[in-house]
Amino acid sequence: MAVDVVFRLPLTALGLGFVKLQCFIVSASTSIVAVHALLQYGKSVQRLHAEHAKGHDGEKFNLFHLLGIGHLEVSTHSRILRDLLDPHGSHGQGAVFLKRFVARLGLPSFDFEKAEVTPEVGIGTVTSKSGGRLDLVISDGTKKLILIENKIFAAEQANWVSRYLNHAPSAKLVFLTLDGREPEDMEQDSRPTNLMCASYQTHITDWLQDCRKEATTVPLVRESISQYLHLVQELTQQNREPYMNKELVKAATDSREALDAYYALRNAERDVQAEIVLHLQERLMVTANKLGLNFQGSPYFDYSAKGSGFEFSSAELNTMPLRIRFEFDKSGYRDFAFGFVDDGKLPTEARELLKSLFAEAYESPRSNLLWPAWIYWSRYQNWSTVFADIRFGNFVNDVEKELTQLNEIVVRLRETHYS
């Protein structure tokens, strides 16, 4: 039996007409038919929009990507936010962007014209109850304060919420992340009432769109905001084309079957991720063989737990003893890191030499009892935004480049300390 599933695509401005998808039922489960239809429709919408925009809208031209600074938390994101929020910022638009920010986040109003935005405010030496460095502080000269803790990929510090609010008990503390998550290790009943969790995915995206509208008569500011908005949308895996979003929403809500199919796809997210990891491990095993290494991954293809990951070893590494490991420092595919693991067994002199050699290759490395030298991999630190690159992009090639670099460090360590 054949069933015609028709999704109309009213893209008259693009002259694309409509797409008709015919699905043949091979079982009694019509939900599978609806899922396939919705997937095929989504692919068709994306492809038609991509073909229309190809080479015309210039959205692939992005200075943040060209300069390789799109992932930098302090020097890119915090700096841009600071300038846009500052009534005296280089944009020259006064307090209008700050007003829109306060409105979008539902923050308390204050004297916008007197507002000052200060970055990297030190509040003393870090202890268990005080001290630290505030990413952004917004003040109008009164006791009204907005503190912004901006986290794109960097890990959270211990007790930061209580330390910051102990410094300014009446302030509104905004925890800004890609997805609006809660702070780590915070129990629900201990959540301060003046803590707000905001996201780049919704709050910042909507605010930047507001800012772009306000800058309509200032082309240079408007286009700069557009470039940054596109970067944020890419980091948060959002479609940059509003017409495409509208068509996908319309298709998903067109019928009960379509909506059930949408939620079925969402419910399959974990299995989809496991499938991606399965293919990833197969490719990494090939890479390991190519480099003369042994590969060990997760037996269940699930890297969502804290401490999960994969590693590489060899006969030479075992004699030191060392392993090269890639691991998530937080659950939910967050804070992805790589470096050397020795389980505390490497001799002290060799450990210090390894740390020194690692620091020559990688900026600001870290060390602990089990890991002599490691860093967060900023480009892939949050996998929730890069799973497409993991499956179809350059991730495996990038792993191979890092392995080659790490192997060079091992060679220098052996020649200097073990020869």
Side-chain angles (χ1 to χ4, degrees):
M1 176 176 63
V3 176
D4 288 337
V5 182
V6 179
F7 294 104
R8 294 196 174 275
L9 193 62
L11 305 176
T12 54
L14 300 179
L16 299 176
F18 67 90
V19 175
K20 180 178 180 181
L21 304 174
Q22 187 176 55
C23 300
F24 294 92
I25 298 181
V26 295
S27 71
S29 177
T30 57
S31 63
I32 297 298
V33 174
V35 167
H36 280 289
L38 190 60
L39 275 173
Q40 291 301 319
Y41 177 73
K43 289 165 63 176
S44 299
V45 172
Q46 194 278 334
R47 183 169 58 251
L48 290 171
H49 277 274
E51 289 176 356
H52 174 77
K54 187 176 182 180
H56 298 291
D57 62 3
E59 285 194 355
K60 288 190 175 181
F61 179 81
N62 192 295
L63 290 175
F64 298 104
H65 288 310
L66 291 176
L67 297 175
I69 59 175
H71 64 282
L72 300 179
E73 190 171 273
V74 176
S75 57
T76 296
H77 295 277
S78 289
R79 186 171 294 180
I80 291 174
L81 293 179
R82 184 259 173 126
D83 193 86
L84 288 175
L85 291 170
D86 190 348
H88 308 291
S90 63
H91 50 76
Q93 304 308 296
V96 63
F97 297 156
L98 176 59
K99 291 178 181 178
R100 296 293 175 266
F101 181 82
V102 168
R104 275 291 177 187
L105 272 67
L107 298 171
S109 184
F110 52 90
D111 192 337
F112 294 105
E113 302 305 325
K114 293 183 179 179
E116 294 184 356
V117 184
T118 310
E120 295 292 303
V121 177
I123 58 173
T125 303
V126 175
T127 69
S128 61
K129 296 182 179 180
S130 65
R133 186 173 293 275
L134 307 173
D135 290 339
L136 291 173
V137 176
I138 306 175
S139 171
D140 64 353
T142 68
K143 291 184 178 180
K144 293 182 178 179
L145 289 174
I146 298 174
L147 314 179
I148 300 178
E149 176 70 359
N150 186 30
K151 289 296 179 196
I152 301 294
F153 296 122
E156 296 178 45
Q157 296 182 359
N159 304 319
W160 69 269
V161 173
S162 59
R163 286 191 283 108
Y164 293 177
L165 290 180
N166 285 340
H167 170 74
S170 62
K172 190 72 174 183
L173 176 57
V174 178
F175 183 41
L176 179 57
T177 60
L178 290 177
D179 57 3
R181 59 183 171 84
E182 295 280 332
E184 291 281 346
D185 304 325
M186 174 167 289
E187 297 181 4
Q188 190 64 32
D189 57 358
S190 66
R191 191 181 192 279
T193 57
N194 50 341
L195 169 67
M196 176 191 179
C197 296
S199 74
Y200 278 86
Q201 187 173 37
T202 56
H203 297 96
I204 298 301
T205 295
D206 292 343
W207 170 62
L208 289 172
Q209 290 171 341
D210 292 341
C211 293
R212 187 166 59 178
K213 291 177 183 177
E214 294 288 351
T216 300
T217 59
V218 193
L220 185 58
V221 175
R222 183 190 67 232
E223 294 309 314
S224 296
I225 293 173
S226 293
Q227 288 257 316
Y228 183 57
L229 174 61
H230 294 162
L231 172 64
V232 169
Q233 289 173 323
E234 182 174 316
L235 288 173
T236 55
Q237 291 187 313
Q238 298 181 73
N239 292 324
R240 293 182 294 189
E241 176 55 69
Y243 293 108
M244 181 161 60
N245 282 343
K246 290 179 181 179
E247 293 307 318
L248 294 175
V249 169
K250 181 177 289 186
T253 59
D254 185 62
S255 67
R256 175 61 182 268
E257 290 76 12
L259 191 57
D260 286 342
Y262 166 75
Y263 282 107
L265 287 171
R266 288 192 60 183
N267 291 336
E269 180 178 9
R270 184 167 181 172
D271 291 332
V272 169
Q273 292 170 343
E275 182 71 10
I276 292 172
V277 171
L278 167 62
H279 286 281
L280 170 64
Q281 292 194 164
E282 292 173 349
R283 297 176 64 195
L284 289 175
M285 192 171 297
V286 173
T287 298
N289 291 335
K290 175 182 176 182
L291 298 177
L293 298 169
N294 301 316
F295 170 79
Q296 182 177 345
S298 168
Y300 304 108
F301 314 118
D302 182 5
Y303 291 169
S304 62
K306 178 180 178 179
S308 59
F310 52 86
E311 63 185 35
F312 301 85
S313 62
S314 67
E316 181 179 30
L317 285 168
N318 291 340
T319 61
M320 294 190 179
L322 283 174
R323 303 190 309 279
I324 297 172
R325 184 162 177 80
F326 293 72
E327 180 179 294
F328 289 98
D329 196 31
K330 295 288 189 299
S331 61
Y333 297 95
R334 291 184 290 121
D335 287 354
F336 193 54
F338 70 83
F340 291 103
V341 177
D342 72 343
D343 296 327
K345 298 177 181 179
L346 199 66
T348 302
E349 184 179 345
R351 214 171 203 268
E352 293 303 316
L353 177 57
L354 177 61
K355 289 162 61 175
S356 176
L357 294 172
F358 195 91
E360 292 179 13
Y362 298 100
E363 185 178 354
S364 302
R366 303 170 184 239
S367 180
N368 58 38
L369 292 176
L370 304 181
W371 294 63
W374 62 278
I375 59 165
Y376 287 112
W377 199 352
S378 57
R379 185 174 181 182
Y380 297 108
Q381 194 163 342
N382 184 355
W383 275 27
S384 65
T385 63
V386 295
F387 263 107
D389 288 334
I390 304 299
R391 178 66 179 92
F392 300 107
N394 294 322
F395 178 74
V396 173
N397 291 334
D398 291 337
V399 170
E400 182 174 342
K401 291 177 183 177
E402 301 303 339
L403 287 173
T404 301
Q405 177 97 300
L406 294 170
N407 270 331
E408 291 176 358
I409 294 175
V410 172
V411 170
R412 292 182 62 189
L413 176 65
R414 182 195 65 219
E415 292 176 345
T416 305
H417 184 76
Y418 289 93
S419 59

